[in-house]
């Protein structure tokens, strides 16, 4: 069984997918981390990341590799483990800009498809149910209001000792939503056969339970 989870930034996709993976015995594949690794490479290359032509030419130099070590996904960029550097705000915002470039998407698609073909994965991103795994047995579109997502992000940053401005965080999230939903290739949208889960008023446990029960339902139907 493959499970696809799509949704906007800050909806809780990775937290939820990791927990569901554990419950269901699936391998968690975080495709956002792949786009972040390419963004990290582009930021380090000194090019203007808003210049699509330059991004297109340069991105193929990013050799992204996913390795599972002690059951955890580690992302290697040209042989270096960069997992710990991918969650920075600048990397996420750049990934949202550079992921609109077709060459960047092409570059990562075969890696994602290869993991999907092995089966038994729960993969999250923006275009998983629509493009990468249109054949996934269970598809979820996970969302929450931008207000709630910004609040969660502020709490996360505060826990790291930062002092973010709520309005700024909210604007960043809304800008990313706009870019992710309005790009020409593989925009973020709910697949026709995806189940919508709005987590605004749900706890993490409730969301995990909901998704696991959808998966159980599928497995029982199959028997
Ligand atoms: O899920 P995330 O915040 O780690 O993703 C970072 C950016 O990568 C996101 O703003 C858009 C892009 N992305 C994408 O275009 N397609 C995916 N399947 C996953 C992420």
């Amino acid at each position: 069984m493959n499970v696809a989870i799509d949704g906007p930034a800050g909806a809780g996709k990775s937290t939820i997918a990791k927990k569901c993976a554990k419950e269901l015995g699936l391998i968690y594949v975080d495709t956002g981390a792949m786009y972040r690794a390419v963004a990290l490479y582009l930021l380090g290359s000194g090019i203007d990341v808003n210049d699509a032509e330059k991004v297109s030419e340069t991105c193929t130099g990013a050799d992204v590799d996913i390795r599972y070590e002690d059951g955890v996904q580690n992302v290697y960029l040209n042989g270096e483990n960069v997992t710990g550097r991918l969650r920075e705000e600048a990397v996420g915002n750049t990934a949202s800009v550079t992921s609109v470039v077709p060459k960047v998407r092409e570059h990562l698609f075969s890696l994602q498809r290869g993991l999907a073909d092995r089966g038994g994965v729960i993969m999250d991103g923006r275009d998983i149910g629509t493009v990468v795994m249109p054949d996934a047995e269970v598809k979820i579109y996970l969302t929450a209001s931008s207000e709630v997502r910004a609040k969660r992000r502020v709490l996360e940053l505060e826990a790291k000792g930062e002092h973010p401005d709520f309005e700024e965080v909210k604007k960043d999230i809304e800008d990313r939503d706009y870019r992710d939903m309005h790009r020409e290739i593989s925009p973020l949208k709910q697949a026709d056969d995806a189940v919508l889960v709005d987590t605004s008023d749900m706890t993490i446990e409730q969301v995990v339970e909901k998704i696991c029960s959808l998966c159980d339902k599928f497995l029982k139907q199959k028997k």
Side-chain angles (χ1 to χ4, degrees):
M1 176 177 69
N2 281 337
V3 180
I5 303 188
D6 289 300
K13 297 186 299 296
S14 60
T15 307
I16 302 294
K18 259 184 228 161
K19 286 184 184 284
C20 290
K22 224 178 212 170
E23 289 269 322
L24 299 162
L26 299 172
I27 291 174
Y28 169 49
V29 181
D30 174 1
T31 63
M34 301 177 191
Y35 285 96
R36 285 169 184 260
V38 173
L40 187 67
Y41 176 78
L42 294 167
L43 283 168
S45 71
I47 63 154
D48 173 4
V49 294
N50 293 298
D51 181 337
E53 220 167 282
K54 281 267 177 309
V55 167
S56 215
E57 278 166 23
T58 314
C59 72
T60 49
D63 177 22
V64 180
D65 187 23
I66 301 296
R67 296 184 207 163
Y68 289 90
E69 292 157 338
D70 295 328
V72 176
Q73 173 181 295
N74 277 308
V75 182
Y76 284 78
L77 174 62
N78 295 332
E80 186 194 345
N81 186 345
V82 293
T83 316
R85 294 163 57 195
L86 300 180
R87 302 305 305 175
E88 288 161 22
E89 294 298 283
V91 177
N93 285 331
T94 303
S96 167
V97 173
T98 54
S99 61
V100 307
V101 176
K103 195 91 192 169
V104 171
R105 307 202 71 80
E106 250 171 57
H107 189 55
L108 295 174
F109 179 80
S110 57
L111 180 61
Q112 294 163 359
R113 201 47 240 179
L115 290 164
D117 283 342
R118 284 195 228 159
V121 301
I122 180 162
M123 192 179 281
D124 77 354
R126 303 292 186 286
D127 58 342
I128 308 306
T130 48
V131 176
V132 180
M133 301 202 304
D135 45 356
E137 283 78 9
V138 177
K139 295 184 188 177
I140 309 292
Y141 189 82
L142 201 68
T143 190
S145 68
S146 57
E147 194 85 11
V148 167
R149 288 184 285 135
K151 270 187 203 153
R152 289 179 187 159
R153 189 68 189 130
V154 164
L155 287 176
E156 229 174 79
L157 292 169
E158 282 175 349
K160 285 191 203 161
E162 295 176 32
H163 306 284
D165 176 68
F166 174 78
E167 288 304 328
E168 237 170 70
V169 171
K170 187 162 160 264
K171 182 169 184 316
D172 262 5
I173 283 183
E174 286 169 351
D175 288 349
R176 273 178 68 177
D177 285 358
Y178 187 87
R179 276 197 300 270
D180 293 349
M181 289 173 179
H182 292 87
R183 65 180 178 223
E184 216 167 292
I185 300 184
S186 308
L188 167 64
K189 66 169 189 226
Q190 184 179 342
D192 293 339
D193 49 352
V195 176
L196 175 74
V197 179
D198 186 332
T199 70
S200 301
D201 298 312
M202 290 171 87
T203 63
I204 291 174
E205 288 68 31
Q206 286 172 329
V207 180
V208 172
E209 204 182 298
K210 163 108 190 159
I211 295 177
C212 288
S213 76
L214 287 169
C215 292
D216 281 346
K217 204 165 124 195
F218 165 77
L219 290 171
K220 278 194 190 119
Q221 273 169 1
K222 213 178 97 180
K223 271 186 196 162

